[in-house]
Amino acid sequence: MLRRLATTAPLLLLTSCQGWQSALDTHGPAAQDLERLFWIFLAVLAAVWVLTNGAFLLSLRRRRPEGADPLATDPARERRMGWTVGIAVSLTFVVVLTFTGLSYSAQKQLFGHRDGILTIKVTGHQWWWQIDYEDPEPSRSFTTANEIRIPVGEPVLLKLESADVIHSFWVPSLTGKMDLITGRQNLLQIQADREGVYRGQCAEFCGWQHAHMGILILARPKPEFDAWREQQLKAAETPQDPERRRGEEIFLSKPCIMCHEVRGTPAGGKVGPDLTHVGSRRYIASGTLPTTRGSLAAWITDPQRIKPGVHMPLVPLEPDQVNPLASYLEGLK
Ligand code: CUA
């Protein structure tokens, strides 16, 4: 058992350093700066660790001879020790000073941001992310949830706010952490240098479902991003097939519309996530379940079972209403 653990543990450690949510598999300038800093710290601290342990082992080997006078002093040895301690103290000072300088310059990079770039407001809620794409022209602004699309290779400015308690935005492959604080706006510039999907996670304990507060960043080529943006600006299409049409009727007749918005319908609630294009998002419930008709049906039937404590109440549904409603939501592409 121990042997197996000894062979698999390093493998697990190595594989966990890669993937869509790793501070050691970076694809943006801010995260790369942090990664570099991490390796420098690790190398220097490892060297310090080896040196101090080496000195400790040496001291164990050098014993005083048996029966030696404990009060006897050797001036030459005392001088040597004085020098050794002096050098060690100055080295410590130099190391700490260098680390401080390196951290400071990395922070300057991390917290700097450019004006006039794509701006997205990210609002933390218990336990999901509201995403508002801002545009000087109000008709070109729109709202989505739990998924941020950005053009690859371009800086994007995030305005971080909170609707309730403190959350923390953390997408390790792209950037460092930044808190979302009530009554305050924090700015964070992110950039993805490579096309891909990056996962992030709320990194500040914010209540029961803190662990189920994931977020996805999808970095796409500019033309694809622009096309997606145009699509998101549109209102939801009126469903054509009878089942989805029935689903829409059920949706509009239930309290769902008090909390959720589906643009193009009378549903205009602002409490929960905007559902206008919910079917086009990869996950529901903030990274908890992949978007399928089945998971949507499970979620609307009993959200408390999947995410206990979630603010979405249980809306009573007849058994034959679940499928049409799930189909309707899934079709909101
Ligand atoms: Cu939001 Cu933890």
Side-chain angles (χ1 to χ4, degrees):
M1 176 66 198
L2 261 179
R3 189 180 296 169
R4 193 178 302 165
L5 202 69
T7 47
T8 49
L11 256 178
L12 277 175
L13 268 177
L14 275 176
T15 48
S16 63
C17 296
Q18 289 192 333
W20 66 347
Q21 184 178 319
S22 169
L24 298 180
D25 189 0
T26 52
H27 298 284
Q32 274 151 4
D33 274 356
L34 281 174
E35 191 186 351
R36 194 175 316 123
L37 209 58
F38 169 77
W39 288 117
I40 294 173
F41 269 63
L42 188 73
V44 174
L45 295 180
V48 170
W49 188 83
V50 168
L51 284 176
T52 42
N53 277 283
F56 172 66
L57 288 176
L58 268 182
S59 73
L60 283 182
R61 284 187 54 183
R62 273 205 209 162
R63 291 225 167 152
R64 266 170 195 270
E66 291 276 332
D69 177 6
L71 295 180
T73 51
D74 172 358
R77 191 155 172 263
E78 298 271 306
R79 242 197 326 277
R80 269 205 320 274
M81 279 171 70
W83 271 105
T84 313
V85 171
I87 290 172
V89 168
S90 346
L91 271 179
T92 310
F93 190 68
V94 169
V95 166
V96 171
L97 215 65
T98 314
F99 277 0
T100 310
L102 283 173
S103 304
Y104 179 73
S105 67
Q107 283 202 11
K108 251 183 106 175
Q109 278 276 69
L110 272 180
F111 300 139
H113 54 81
R114 291 212 332 243
D115 290 329
I117 52 179
L118 173 65
T119 307
I120 304 169
K121 191 167 91 178
V122 179
T123 311
H125 294 257
Q126 282 177 318
W127 292 277
W128 61 282
W129 308 85
Q130 180 185 332
I131 317 291
D132 294 288
Y133 281 75
E134 297 187 336
D135 196 281
E137 213 179 299
S139 67
R140 293 197 51 81
S141 303
F142 64 90
T143 302
T144 174
N146 302 330
E147 207 174 279
I148 304 178
R149 288 207 190 210
I150 56 172
V152 72
E154 282 184 29
V156 175
L157 185 63
L158 302 182
K159 295 178 173 174
L160 305 175
E161 292 182 7
S162 170
D164 36 48
V165 299
I166 299 177
H167 304 270
S168 182
F169 181 91
W170 190 35
V171 183
S173 298
L174 299 183
T175 175
K177 287 176 195 168
M178 179 76 87
D179 280 0
L180 295 85
I181 299 168
T182 328
R184 193 192 143 88
Q185 192 175 70
N186 283 337
L187 300 177
L188 184 67
Q189 182 175 303
I190 62 165
Q191 181 175 327
D193 290 334
R194 193 191 70 167
E195 194 184 331
V197 182
Y198 306 96
R199 193 182 186 282
Q201 171 65 38
C202 177
E204 176 82 36
F205 180 71
C206 54
W208 199 350
Q209 290 299 330
H210 155 71
H212 284 144
M213 195 167 163
I215 190 166
L216 284 191
I217 308 265
L218 282 81
R220 294 285 179 244
K222 182 85 166 109
E224 202 182 308
F225 169 78
D226 288 338
W228 172 82
R229 193 175 179 166
E230 291 306 316
Q231 168 65 17
Q232 293 288 312
L233 280 169
K234 289 185 192 151
E237 276 174 30
T238 313
Q240 296 304 320
D241 69 283
E243 180 170 76
R244 289 196 60 230
R245 198 183 285 261
R246 176 141 181 271
E248 186 186 38
E249 277 166 23
I250 297 164
F251 179 78
L252 295 176
S253 69
K254 295 283 179 186
C256 313
I257 56 171
M258 308 298 287
C259 296
H260 294 288
E261 175 161 29
V262 176
R263 279 175 273 133
T265 74
K270 300 276 186 199
V271 179
D274 182 297
L275 299 180
T276 311
H277 299 289
V278 64
S280 70
R281 307 204 281 257
R282 294 193 163 201
Y283 286 85
I284 59 166
S286 208
T288 309
L289 294 172
T291 311
T292 63
R293 197 186 307 190
S295 61
L296 282 163
W299 177 252
I300 53 183
T301 312
D302 192 358
Q304 296 296 330
R305 198 185 163 89
I306 292 163
K307 232 170 141 171
V310 70
H311 295 314
M312 175 158 157
L314 196 149
V315 175
L317 291 169
E318 299 299 324
D320 66 340
Q321 290 182 322
V322 176
N323 261 331
L325 191 49
S327 304
Y328 168 64
L329 293 172
E330 191 206 13
L332 290 174
K333 299 284 186 192

